[in-house]
Amino acid sequence: MPSRMRARLISAVFACLLAAALLAAGCGGGSETGGTSGGEAANRPAPPKSAFPNPAGMSLAELVKSAESAEVVVSPAAQVFEKGSSRYPFGVFEFDRTQITDAEVALYIAKVPPPKGPSGGKAKNGKERKGAAARARREALEGPAIGPFPASIETLETQPAFRAETTADDPNAATVVYSTELNFTSDGEWRIAAIVREGKRLTSTLLPSAVVGEFKKIPKVGQKAPLIHTPTPEDVGGDLSKITTRIPPDTQNRVDYADVLGKEPIILLFATPQFCQSRVCGPVVDVTEQLKETYGDEAAFIHMEIYNDNNPSKGVRPQVRAFHLPSEPWLFAIDREGVVRAVIEGAYGLDLATKAVKKAIAE
């Protein structure tokens, strides 16, 4: 993929996902919201499965219709999913994009069958393939719903000393991330629905589909990490604005990744606080900066920006292409042998990131 096109993809992916979620959520009536916007963010465990409908004998469409139409947006914060258990991070928002930090949400999934052409065989041209894909998605809504998968809530907040101006001055910066583990039994497209619970009241909304197994080249747990060079202050004459868009600059750029790969654990973060469309890059850089204070003597912490010259119009940096990343942010925890031990796409808080760091150090 040409670098300019890939840059547009990365910068737009979360905006597109949110727009799609807004469209899905707006396909019906309803009243009131399913949570509280604003307020102090805090970690919350996932509600019990018993708090949500048992989908036995129900299709995904029947499940959605059994609840009122939600007046909130459930927006996915990742697009790379693997067969089996796969983390699914997302945000919950008012229609004005104010984040809701305490909603009770569970997801449900249904497999999209292989698309078929008008005669039942394989579609022969672009028009037929597009129509076949649309029919398959509609069929998935009539297929059996699988779930519920209740979501926990993890705060993205840090100690004040590690909260950047980039984050503090952004009124839309995310403060929490919702996540659950979805069990995808096969590759391919899956439809997803959310049920939001407020007391005894249930509301529902459809989310954009997830395509499982689409991105094969991103480094996985157990694989050797690619060799790249990452810029240091010496490479830019001490002008840190050239290697980080965080204000003030973070300290996760003191060593070149190539100099420590295979020699010591590495915590490698791909994120751009200034240009991130999902509004989570600033917070996760803050989270990792705080972790460096604790684990900086045990691992090399490296923050890698996304765009050449920190300019989205100039395409993505070669380091991003080397890891084959279609979105941001991404965190890779790599052990001293150069093997990937943990991978996180999307937003994460201190709890999840700490577990990743410990896996790299332990190995």
Side-chain angles (χ1 to χ4, degrees), residues 117-186:
S119 60
K122 188 175 181 180
K124 298 179 180 180
N125 54 52
K127 185 176 180 180
E128 284 191 1
R129 286 192 292 271
K130 186 175 181 179
R135 287 193 296 273
R137 293 188 188 100
R138 289 194 295 270
E139 289 177 22
L141 292 177
E142 302 305 324
I146 303 170
F149 300 95
S152 61
I153 303 174
E154 188 171 6
T155 178
L156 305 182
E157 293 181 354
T158 61
Q159 296 174 7
F162 301 98
R163 186 172 173 83
E165 292 178 30
T166 320
T167 306
D169 293 345
D170 182 357
N172 296 315
T175 57
V176 301
V177 60
Y178 296 74
S179 69
T180 187
E181 294 287 329
L182 298 183
N183 184 24
F184 297 115
T185 57
S186 63

Side-chain angles (χ1 to χ4, degrees), residues 41-81:
N43 289 340
R44 294 193 177 199
K49 288 186 177 182
S50 59
F52 299 92
N54 183 338
M58 300 177 69
S59 69
L60 199 62
E62 289 171 336
L63 179 73
V64 170
K65 291 177 182 178
S66 70
E68 300 176 49
S69 181
E71 287 192 348
V72 299
V73 177
V74 179
S75 177
Q79 65 168 338
V80 178
F81 306 102

Side-chain angles (χ1 to χ4, degrees), residues 5-87:
M5 183 181 298
R6 193 175 180 86
R8 288 198 298 268
L9 172 62
I10 290 180
S11 65
V13 62
F14 288 105
C16 290
L17 288 172
L18 179 57
L22 280 166
L23 182 61
C27 294
S31 61
E32 301 182 10
T33 63
T36 303
S37 59
E40 184 177 351
N43 289 340
R44 294 193 177 199
K49 288 186 177 182
S50 59
F52 299 92
N54 183 338
M58 300 177 69
S59 69
L60 199 62
E62 289 171 336
L63 179 73
V64 170
K65 291 177 182 178
S66 70
E68 300 176 49
S69 181
E71 287 192 348
V72 299
V73 177
V74 179
S75 177
Q79 65 168 338
V80 178
F81 306 102
E82 301 296 332
K83 180 181 174 181
S85 182
S86 201
R87 177 178 181 257

Side-chain angles (χ1 to χ4, degrees), residues 264-277:
E264 61 182 272
I266 299 173
I267 308 304
L268 175 63
L269 170 61
F270 289 92
T272 177
Q274 183 176 352
F275 301 109
C276 188
Q277 295 296 311

Side-chain angles (χ1 to χ4, degrees), residues 34 45 63 75 82 153 192 194 225 228 235 257 266 323 327 344 359:
L63 179 73
S75 177
E82 301 296 332
I153 303 174
I192 302 175
I228 59 174
D235 296 325
Y257 170 99
I266 299 173
F323 273 72
S327 59
I344 304 173
K359 287 180 180 179

